[in-house]
Amino acid sequence: MAPRRVRAAARGTLYGAGRLLQYAATACFWAAAGTLTLEDLRRAAVRRWREFAATQSDADVALMDWEEEFYRRFLRPGERVLLAGCGSGRDLVALLELGYAVEGLDPVAECIEQARARLAKRGTSAPLHVAWLEDAAPPPGPFGAVVLSWFCYGNIPGAAARVRALRALAGRLAPGGRILLSYLTAGRPPRPVLIRLARLVGRLSGSDWRPEDGDCIVLTDRRADGAHFEHFFRPGEVEAEGRAAGLRLVHEERSPYGTAVLAP
């Protein structure tokens, strides 16, 4: 009996120690995330999008079912569309082939070049621009619609930066124009104490960025450009950010992920 009790005690002690170390590791990762700067997050995004684009082939040029349904419902035939986050051209080519007059915008120059080459293979072209949405410098309009590609809205760190981007895009809309976006809905958000820890470390380290509720930051290695940032949206959050940008919510669905249409 004694060995059984010893084993049970050892198991309980080791399990408890493991859980404690797990919590400590999570806290350390979030503290490390607090040291990141906005420039670090940008470099990490560029690295991730380059790697993603490198895995895509010409066979990947197509809209997903939910995208095609969403766009056909809220885009008007033949209208001028700005596709923000066009990447290497997957949805850009697909929208062009559906008859829309599409311009592409992406922050990664290499992805834009891939998109341009992909268009050339098909004997077509489109105006393509290199810029960050949060810099509030979209190409001149007017556009009948702006489409924020495949959850890219949640890749913008900070509600204020997202509002700034929406306001700039709204200024490029033609009368009756719309902004279409998709987003990840909040499942189980990080514990508030972890967000507060990262914010504290950010202040102490002099970072120019502060995590917010709903932010998820994953560090894949010790390099700053190994971070993965994503914001998960709670009910009413997209509407509130649109309102702050002078936009009203025309349409929203939240299952199994979020889609929304905003208009002036």
Side-chain angles (χ1 to χ4, degrees), residues 30-70:
W30 275 89
T35 68
L36 296 170
T37 65
L38 288 172
E39 182 58 30
D40 291 333
L41 293 177
R42 283 193 172 188
R43 288 191 290 111
V46 169
R47 175 186 174 188
R48 185 169 74 251
W49 294 334
R50 281 174 180 160
E51 291 172 351
F52 177 74
T55 67
Q56 290 195 308
S57 68
D58 288 344
D60 297 321
V61 173
L63 295 177
M64 290 172 276
D65 290 342
W66 69 266
E67 288 176 311
E68 184 162 359
E69 180 182 352
F70 184 40

Side-chain angles (χ1 to χ4, degrees), residues 230-250:
E230 195 92 50
H231 183 78
F232 290 76
F233 292 82
R234 295 158 297 183
E237 195 171 359
V238 169
E239 182 177 11
E241 292 182 2
R243 190 184 309 116
L247 299 164
R248 60 187 173 89
L249 185 67
V250 174

Side-chain angles (χ1 to χ4, degrees), residues 136-159:
F143 296 98
V146 174
V147 174
L148 278 71
S149 179
W150 197 25
F151 310 136
C152 77
Y153 185 62
N155 291 154
I156 301 174

Side-chain angles (χ1 to χ4, degrees), residues 78-190:
E79 74 178 340
R80 189 180 180 199
V81 175
L82 174 65
L83 177 63
C86 68
S88 58
R90 176 191 65 85
D91 41 356
L92 175 77
V93 172
L95 285 169
L96 281 168
E97 292 181 347
L98 286 173
Y100 301 105
V102 188
E103 295 190 23
L105 173 72
D106 199 87
V108 184
E110 293 90 337
C111 291
I112 286 290
E113 289 309 310
Q114 282 182 260
R116 187 171 282 114
R118 184 162 282 162
L119 290 170
K121 285 182 184 178
R122 293 171 178 256
T124 188
S125 63
L128 301 177
H129 313 272
V130 179
W132 291 87
L133 266 181
E134 53 266 47
D135 287 345
F143 296 98
V146 174
V147 174
L148 278 71
S149 179
W150 197 25
F151 310 136
C152 77
Y153 185 62
N155 291 154
I156 301 174
R162 292 191 293 272
V163 169
R164 190 165 62 245
L166 287 177
R167 188 178 293 118
L169 292 172
R172 299 295 195 264
L173 290 175
R178 291 129 283 125
I179 297 175
L180 282 64
L181 59 89
S182 56
Y183 61 91
L184 294 173
T185 54
R188 187 177 179 182

